[in-house]
Each structure stands twice: as structure tokens, then as C-alpha cells.
Amino acid sequence: WSNDREWNSAFIHDLIDPNKHLFASPLWIPTIFDGQTSVNIHDAKFNARDVIKSSILGLDYVQYSALYADIAKVFKLIQPMFEQVLNYSLSAREKVVVKS
């Protein structure tokens, strides 16, 4: 090891990187959506956290907060169709797979 400092920092980054091998895995981790909350998607004060209760795998909330808001709004728009097809009302902790 000619440059231990460079190797150590790269190794540590590799250990703590939450997205390491993210797209190599066939597993899809569900995101928790709140199907019970009533929100107005046209409201300027709309907050994605009212609908999306857990992180979306591979999609950083801080970096992509606008995308989280769009995903939450689309979910609320298509929720009635889900409920009609499934023939039941969605719960406050629905598991939904969002492929990013």
C-alpha cells in the first residue's frame, strides 16, 4: 500500500455508501405511503412527508425533494383507481414499490 491514506478513505466510503450495489440487487424495497391522509395536491403548503412515510430506495430526499412531492401527488391522484381495483380502502401504512 503505497498511499494508505487514499486507500483507507476509499475503503471507508465503500463501507458506508448507502447506494453501494443499489441497482445490482433484484430486491425491491417498499416505501410506506399513507392512504388515509387527506391532502390537497394543489395547495402551496403541500408536504410530501404527509403522504410518503419512509424513504424511497436510491432517491435522496434532500436532493430530490421536488420529485418526492411529485411522486406523492401522483400517488394521491391514482389512489382512487388502486382502491377500485383492489376493492378496499388503502391504509395509513401501505407498502408501495417505487422503482427509481
Side-chain angles (χ1 to χ4, degrees):
W1 307 103
S2 62
N3 188 348
D4 284 343
R5 178 172 286 167
E6 182 179 315
W7 185 85
N8 286 337
S9 64
F11 179 72
I12 291 168
H13 178 72
D14 195 46
L15 286 177
I16 62 172
D17 182 7
N19 294 321
K20 177 182 175 188
H21 306 297
L22 175 66
F23 299 106
S25 174
L27 297 176
W28 288 7
I29 308 299
T31 301
I32 306 299
F33 282 74
D34 186 345
Q36 295 291 309
T37 188
S38 178
V39 294
N40 179 359
I41 62 170
H42 303 291
D43 187 0
K45 295 180 182 178
F46 177 83
N47 187 350
R49 292 182 187 204
D50 293 338
V51 178
I52 302 175
K53 298 299 184 181
S54 66
S55 62
I56 298 172
L57 184 66
L59 201 59
D60 181 64
Y61 183 80
V62 174
Q63 187 175 359
Y64 298 104
S65 61
L67 186 54
Y68 267 76
D70 290 342
I71 291 169
K73 289 175 183 179
V74 168
F75 175 79
K76 292 310 277 185
L77 284 172
I78 63 176
Q79 180 178 343
M81 290 183 279
F82 281 147
E83 291 176 338
Q84 187 175 13
V85 169
L86 297 171
N87 200 26
Y88 69 85
S89 295
L90 297 181
S91 73
R93 295 191 51 80
E94 285 296 325
K95 296 177 183 173
V96 179
V97 173
V98 178
K99 187 74 170 136
S100 59

